[in-house]
Amino acid sequence: MSFMRLTRRRLGGCLASLAGAAALAATIALPAHAADAAPRVQFVTSEGSFVIELYPDKAPKTVENFLQYVNDKFYDGTVFHRVIKGFMVQGGGFDKDYQQKPTRPSVKHEGRESVAKGLHNTVGMVAMARTGDPHSATAQFFINTADNTRLDPVVIPEGDPVKEITIHGKTYTNIPRQQLTHNLNLFGYTVFGKVIEGMDTVEKIHNAPTGAGGPFPTDVPQKQIVIESARVM
């Protein structure tokens, strides 16, 4: 058998194998949003819909907590009860009668971990709302509609005392570590996701006329904005 004939036979066999492999790959093709990709949640509201991408690699306990509320359909029928122009929109805790819904236990604050991994309170980023206790976040969340980096947690450098730390543009030196780690004003808010679709809907919410409503004296949309559903995509 000639070299040319042998080469053609081998080449034909290789092409047949590649065609078979391609056919097999087509039958087991991965979905566009693969299982190991960042989870996404679609919110459908009375003003339109938006999609939040979540970052479990940066705030794992916070994302797990949020997804549990989504899977429990907790957010369905809740409202955006706090809207401050040039700042943020907040919801996920009160029903249409402005009654606060019962929640699970609060989630541990992960703000310092998430900000160290690149998440900041900037436009479109989603963070957990809380009380004055950094570890009090449950279900309520807010979407930044401005760059609110003053809400970012302050990352505390190693050492005791801390040789140098900059807080909101001012530098301090030789501060006892405990004085910093126990300062409630330095915890900030845990960012755990980002609006990747539907920012126009968020802007509609942000621009809604506000006033008194329910137990709140200010900042409540005068036309109620309802979360109709929240589902993992």
Side-chain angles (χ1 to χ4, degrees), residues 156-231:
I156 300 172
E158 296 297 326
D160 191 8
V162 174
K163 292 184 178 180
E164 184 175 289
I165 184 170
T166 300
I167 302 173
H168 304 311
K170 189 172 181 179
T171 301
Y172 302 85
T173 58
N174 297 316
I175 306 297
R177 186 171 191 82
Q178 189 174 20
Q179 185 176 328
L180 296 170
T181 58
H182 288 65
N183 188 328
L184 298 182
N185 295 322
L186 303 185
F187 276 85
Y189 294 82
T190 301
V191 177
F192 65 96
K194 178 182 181 179
V195 176
I196 60 168
E197 294 178 22
M199 233 2 237
D200 56 333
T201 296
V202 176
E203 283 298 320
K204 285 181 187 177
I205 299 170
H206 172 244
N207 289 319
T210 60
F216 308 108
T218 59
D219 303 324
V220 180
Q222 294 302 277
K223 177 188 175 185
Q224 209 167 57
I225 301 172
V226 181
I227 296 173
E228 296 171 356
S229 66
R231 298 289 183 272

Side-chain angles (χ1 to χ4, degrees), residues 84-88 145-148 150 206:
I84 302 177
K85 199 166 184 63
F87 184 37
M88 58 92 218
T145 53
D147 289 341
N148 299 314
R150 67 186 184 280
H206 172 244

Side-chain angles (χ1 to χ4, degrees), residues 7 12 18 21 48 71 113 121 125 128 146 182 189 192 210 213 217 230 232:
T7 301
L18 288 172
N71 291 329
E113 293 89 337
N121 282 281
M125 302 304 285
M128 294 303 296
H182 288 65
Y189 294 82
F192 65 96
T210 60
V232 177

Side-chain angles (χ1 to χ4, degrees), residues 70-117:
V70 170
N71 291 329
D72 290 343
K73 300 182 180 180
F74 177 93
Y75 294 119
D76 296 13
T78 60
V79 298
F80 281 94
H81 66 278
R82 188 173 181 228
V83 171
I84 302 177
K85 199 166 184 63
F87 184 37
M88 58 92 218
V89 302
Q90 179 177 335
F94 291 85
D95 65 20
K96 288 181 276 189
D97 295 321
Y98 299 106
Q99 297 297 308
Q100 190 165 9
K101 296 183 67 172
T103 63
R104 299 192 313 277
S106 58
V107 65
K108 180 181 179 295
H109 186 273
E110 295 182 302
R112 286 185 175 135
E113 293 89 337
S114 70
V115 76
K117 294 176 180 177

Side-chain angles (χ1 to χ4, degrees), residues 22-52:
L24 178 61
T27 65
I28 60 173
L30 292 174
H33 190 57
D36 60 348
R40 296 176 179 179
V41 176
Q42 182 182 52
F43 280 77
V44 178
T45 81
S46 53
E47 292 296 317
S49 63
F50 59 87
V51 176
I52 297 175

